[in-house]
Amino acid sequence: MDNFMAARSQMALSLGFHIIFSCIGMVMPFFMAVSHFIWLKSGKPVYQNITKAWSKGVAIFFATGAVSGTVLSFELGLLWPNFMKHAGPIFGMPFSLEGTAFFIEAIALGFFLYGWNRFNRWFHWFTGIVVGISGLMSGVLVVAANAWMNTPTGFNYVNGTYLNIDPIKAMFNPAWFSQALHMSIAAFAATGFAVAGIHALMVLRKRNVDFHLRSFKIAAIFGVIAAILQPLSGDISAKMVAKRQPAKLAAMEAHFVTRPATPLLIGGIPDEKNKKVDHAIELPGMLSFLIYDDFTTPVKGLDQIPEKDHPPVAVTHYAFQVMVALGMMMMALGILYLIAIWKKKNWFEKGWFLKLFIAATPIGFIAVEAGWTVTEVGRQPWIIQGVMRTADAVTPMPGIHYSFYLFTAVYFTLSLVVIFLLYRQIKMVPFIYDVKPKTLHQDQSL
Amino acid sequence: MIYVVIVFLWVALLLYLVMGGADFGAGIIELFTSSPNKSRTRRVMYNAIGPIWEANHMWLIIAIVILFVGFPVIYATMSTYLHIPLTIMLMGIIARGTALTFRNYDAVNDNMQKVYNKIFVYSSFITPLFLGIIAGSTVSGRVDPDATNFLDAYIYSWLNWFSVAIGFFTTSLCGYLAAVYLIGESTEDLERRSFIRKARLMNVAAVLSGIAVFIASISEKIPLIQWVFGNIIGIAAVALATISLVLMWMFIAKGKRYIIRVLAGFQVTMILLTTTYKHYPNIIILKNGKYLSLIGNRGADKAIEALGIALLVGSVFILPALVYLIWSFQKKKGVANNESYH
Ligand code: HDD
Ligand code: HEM
Ligand code: HEM
C-alpha cells in the first residue's frame, strides 16, 4: 500500500467509524426526549426505564463519538497538511461554530446524565432536548464543511493562491443545504431503524415485551418518517450534484457516453476500460427527467470530462446503487408501518412484521456508509473540487500504512467492545428495569 | 481581533492543562494507589470528574480548531513533523476516554473492569506525557523543515531530552493538580490524608522533573533559563508560584478546599505564563533558527475576524452554562456521595 492510498484509507476508516457514533449521538436524544416526556406526563414507570436504559447506551456511544471526532480534527492535519494549510481559514467557520455546539452538547449531557432527581424535572427534560439540538447543529455544521469541499466558494483562486477569503460565504456554499438536509434525515432513518430492529428482536423473543414494544414504537416512528422523506431530499442532492459536479453524477450513474434522453441505469457492472455497462436495466429518459424534469435534455457523460478528472466509476456506481436500493426498501417498510398504525394494529404482534424490522436493523447505516462513499469517492481526484488534487494534499511523511494498520486495529477493537457492552446492557434489562414498582423510586442511580 | 483569538488559544490551553490535567491526573494517582484503596479512590474521582469529563476535553478541541482556522501553517507544520507523538497522544485520548466510559457503563460488574482500569490508568499517564513532549518540541528548535532523512524530520524533532523532560514535568503537574483537587472531594479523614500524601509526592515529582527540564535545556543548548529569568514577568511569575505553593501547604493543613484549588491552578497558570511569555508570539522554533509566529503566520484577516466573533459569541453561551454545571454539582454533592456510581 503506498502512502497516498494508506492516507485515504485511514481517513475513510476514521470517518466511517465516526459517522455511526455521531448519527446515534445526534438522534437518540430525541428518542429519549419523547419517552421522557411521556413518562413525565403519564407517570408510567416503563417510560422512565426506557429513557434511562437508552441514556446509558447514549453515554457509551457519545464517548466513542467524542474521541473519534477529536481524532478526526487532528487527522485532517496529520494526513492532509497541505490541504489544511490552505483550506483551514476558508472552511474553518463551521468548525469554529461547531466547537460551540459541541461544548453546549457536552455540558447539556452532563446535566442530563447526572441530573436524575437533582433538578426540576422539566429542566432536566429540557437539557436532554438541548443535547439533541446541539448535536444536530454540529452535524449540520460539519457537513457544511464537507459540502465546501464539493462546491468550494468564498475565495478566489488565482495562480495557486487563495485570495479574498470570505468564510461566511464558504460556509453557505451551494451544496450546504442539500447535503445537510439529506444527512440529518439519514441520521434519523439509520438510527431509527437500528434501534427499532434491536427492540423488535427482543419482542420476538418475548423478553420484557412491554418495555421493548414501547421502545420499538418510539424508535420506529422516527425512522419511518425519515425514510419516507429521504428519497425526496436525495433528489434535491442529485440535482445539486448534476449542477456542480457533473463528473460525480456521471460516475454515480455509470454514465459513460453523453446522449439525449439519458437513461437511468439500475444495477449493472461498469466496465471502465471499454466505457460501457453490462447487465444493467435501462429506463430511457429517466435520468434526464430526474435531473432536468424533462425526458430529452442530455445529461453530461464522462466522455465530456477530461480523463484525468474522472473519479473511480465502479465504486461510486455500486455505492450509489446500494444507497438507493436500501432507501427504497426503507421507504417501503415505512409505508407498511404506517398501514400498521392506521389499519392493522394486530400486525405488531405478528412474527413476520417484527422479522422485517429485525432484518432492517443495519440497512440504514449501510446506506449512510454507501452515501458517503458516493460523496467522497465521487469527488476524486479532487480534495477541493476543481481546485486542489487529493494527491497534492497528502502528508510527506512516509510509512502512513503503519498508522493505518494501527487505527484499523484500534477501531476494530473498539467496535467489538461497544457491541459487547450494548449486548450486556440489553441482557441486563430484566434485572435492572423489570419493574417492581415499589423499589423504583429508590433507584437513584443513572 | 487577532489578539482576541490568541487570548482564546492561550486560555483554552491553560484550561485544558488545569481541568483536563486534573482529569488525567486522577488516572495517574490511581496508578500510584495501593490496591485496597483503589476502588475508593475511583469512586471519589468518578463523582468528581464524571459530570464534567466531556466538557474538559473540549478545550483541546477548541485549541486545535483555533490553530487550524487561524494559524493553518502552524497547524500543518506541527502535524507534519510531530506526526508520531501526536498519533501516540491520540491513541491515549481514545483509550482513556472510552475506558472511562466503559467502566462506568458496563452493565455487568466483572473482570472486564480490571481491563478497563488498566487501560485507563496507563493511558492517563501516556497522554499528558506526549502532550508535554509535543509542547516541548515546539520550542526545542528541533523541528527541521530542511531535513533530508526520516530520522531528522520525524523522530529527532521530538525525541530529545528536553522534550521528554517536559513530558514528565507535565505528567507530574497533572498528578499534582488531581491530588489537590481530590483532597477537597474526599469525605473521610483517611481518604483525605491519603490524597494529601499523594499531593506531596506529586509536588516533589514536579519539582524534580522541573529541575530535569532545566538541566536538559542546558545540555541541549536551549536558552530556557534566559526565557524564564531574563525578564521581570518571568521572575515575578516564578516568585508568585513559589509563594502560592507555600501558602497552599499552609491552607491544606487548615482544610480549606477551595483556596487550595485556586492556588494550585494559579501555580500552573504562572508556569504556563513564564514559559510562553518570553518567546511570544513565536510558537514554533525551527532548527534553522526561524520562527513560526502567531502574528506573522496568521490566516487571512476575514478568517481571523470570523473566528474571533465565533469564539466571543460561543463563550456567551458556554461560560454561564459551564459555570452552572460545575456549581450545581458542587452544591449537590451531598446527594452525589450517597449515590452508587454505577
Ligand atoms: C439512511 C441513509 C440514506 C438513504 C436511505 C439515502 N441516502 Fe443519499 N446519502 C446519504 C444517506 C442516505 C448520506 C450518507 O447521508 C449522504 C452522503 C453525503 C450526504 O450529504 O449524504 C448521501 C449522499 C447522497 C448523494 C450525493 C450528495 C453529494 O455528493 O453531495 C445523492 C445524490 C443521494 N444521496 C441521493 C439519494 C437518493 C436519490 C436516495 C433515494 C432513496 C438516497 N440518497 C437514499
Ligand atoms: C458528516 C460527518 C459528521 C457528522 C454528521 C458529525 C457529527 C458529530 C456529532 C453529532 C458529534 C457529537 C458526538 C456524539 O454525539 O457522539 C460529533 C463529535 C465530534 N466530531 Fe463529528 N461529525 C462528522 C464528521 C466530523 C469531522 C470530519 C470532524 C473533524 C474534523 C469531526 C469532529 C468531531 C469532534 C472533535 C467531535 C467531538 C465533540 C465532543 O466531544 O462532543 N466530526 N460529530
Ligand atoms: C462522516 C461521514 C464521512 C464519511 C463516511 C466519509 C468518507 C470518506 C471516504 C470513503 C474517503 C476516501 C475517498 C477516497 O480517497 O477515495 C474520504 C476522504 C476524505 N474526506 Fe470524507 N467522509 C465523511 C465526511 C467528511 C467530512 C465532514 C469532511 C470534512 C469536513 C471530510 C473530509 C475528507 C477528507 C479531507 C478526505 C481525504 C481527501 C479525499 O480523499 O478527498 N469527510 N472520506
Side-chain angles (χ1 to χ4, degrees), chain A residues 19 143 146 150 179 183 323 367-378:
Chain A
I19 190 73
V143 170
N146 178 270
N150 286 326
Q179 270 193 249
M183 178 67 232
M323 170 174 64
V368 166
E369 300 287 355
W372 278 106
T373 309
V374 174
T375 306
E376 303 290 304
V377 177

Side-chain angles (χ1 to χ4, degrees), chain A residues 19 143 146 150 175 178-180 182-187 189-190 227 230-235 237-241 245 248-249 252 320 323-328 330 363-376:
Chain A
I19 190 73
V143 170
N146 178 270
N150 286 326
S178 60
Q179 270 193 249
H182 196 60
M183 178 67 232
S184 311
I185 299 178
Q230 188 69 334
L232 297 176
S233 95
D235 180 51
S237 289
K239 290 195 164 96
M240 178 50 72
V241 173
Q245 299 179 285
K248 182 192 276 184
L249 186 83
M252 275 156 54
F320 186 63
M323 170 174 64
V324 174
L326 294 176
M328 292 301 162
M330 287 160 74
I363 66 176
F365 280 104
I366 300 175
V368 166
E369 300 287 355
W372 278 106
T373 309
V374 174
T375 306
E376 303 290 304

Side-chain angles (χ1 to χ4, degrees), chain A residues 62-63 70 73-74 77-78 84-85 88-89 93 102 111 114 118 165 397 417 421 424-425 428 444-446, chain B residues 46 54 57-58 64 68 72 75 79 83 101-102 105-107 110 116 154 302-303 306 324 329 332 339 342:
Chain A
F62 189 89
T70 310
S73 40
F74 283 91
L78 290 175
M84 291 307 287
K85 209 191 289 184
M93 190 72 202
F102 283 149
F111 276 115
Y114 299 86
R118 288 188 192 180
I165 290 172
M397 184 170 120
V417 179
L421 288 180
R424 282 187 161 190
Q425 286 286 349
M428 292 305 282
Q444 298 234 325
S445 66
L446 278 173
Chain B
Y46 186 69
E54 279 292 343
H57 100 145
M58 290 306 303
I64 210 73
F68 81 57
Y75 172 78
S79 40
H83 191 117
T101 310
F102 292 169
Y105 286 97
D106 194 339
D110 62 6
Y116 305 141
Y154 303 109
K302 273 258 180 102
Y324 183 55
F329 284 99
K332 310 211 174 176
E339 191 172 334
H342 237 299

Side-chain angles (χ1 to χ4, degrees), chain A residues 18 21-22 25-26 62 66 69-70 76 95 102 105 135 142 372, chain B residues 57:
Chain A
H18 178 69
F21 296 89
S22 51
M26 281 190 281
F62 189 89
T70 310
L76 284 176
F95 285 109
F102 283 149
E105 186 179 7
V142 73
W372 278 106
Chain B
H57 100 145

Side-chain angles (χ1 to χ4, degrees), chain A residues 10 55-57 59-60 62-64 66-79 81-82 84-93 95-100 102-104 106-107 109-111 113-119 123 165-168 395-400 403 406-407 410-411 414 417-418 420-421 424-425 427-428 432 444-446, chain B residues 46-47 50-62 64-65 68-70 72-73 75-84 86-87 89-91 93-98 101-102 104-110 112 116 150 154 299-300 302-304 306-307 310-311 313-315 317-319 321-322 324-326 328-329 332 335-336 339-342:
Chain A
Q10 182 176 329
S55 75
K56 286 193 182 178
I60 295 171
F62 189 89
T64 318
V67 293
S68 59
T70 310
V71 171
L72 274 174
S73 40
F74 283 91
E75 260 179 335
L76 284 176
L78 290 175
L79 299 175
N82 203 31
M84 291 307 287
K85 209 191 289 184
H86 300 293
I90 312 175
F91 82 160
M93 190 72 202
F95 285 109
S96 17
L97 294 175
E98 194 193 16
T100 305
F102 283 149
F103 224 126
I104 293 174
I107 293 172
L109 194 77
F111 276 115
L113 289 181
Y114 299 86
W116 289 97
N117 304 330
R118 288 188 192 180
F119 299 105
F123 174 75
I165 290 172
D166 181 350
I168 309 284
T395 176
M397 184 170 120
I400 298 294
S403 140
L406 179 67
F407 275 87
V410 168
Y411 282 151
L414 271 186
V417 179
V418 169
F420 169 75
L421 288 180
R424 282 187 161 190
Q425 286 286 349
K427 209 177 66 177
M428 292 305 282
I432 307 177
Q444 298 234 325
S445 66
L446 278 173
Chain B
Y46 186 69
N47 277 332
I52 50 175
W53 175 78
E54 279 292 343
N56 279 347
H57 100 145
M58 290 306 303
W59 297 115
L60 178 63
I61 297 175
I62 301 275
I64 210 73
V65 168
F68 81 57
V69 177
V73 175
Y75 172 78
T77 308
M78 275 179 76
S79 40
T80 306
Y81 294 100
L82 303 176
H83 191 117
I84 293 169
L86 277 167
T87 303
M89 184 188 82
L90 286 178
M91 289 294 150
I93 289 178
I94 298 181
R96 199 189 119 86
T98 48
T101 310
F102 292 169
N104 291 303
Y105 286 97
D106 194 339
V108 184
N109 196 349
D110 62 6
M112 280 304 283
Y116 305 141
F150 185 83
Y154 303 109
K302 273 258 180 102
I304 297 280
L307 176 64
L311 289 168
V313 173
S315 37
F317 285 103
I318 291 167
L319 291 181
L322 186 62
Y324 183 55
L325 178 72
I326 295 173
S328 32
F329 284 99
K332 310 211 174 176
V335 190
E339 191 172 334
S340 79
Y341 80 101
H342 237 299

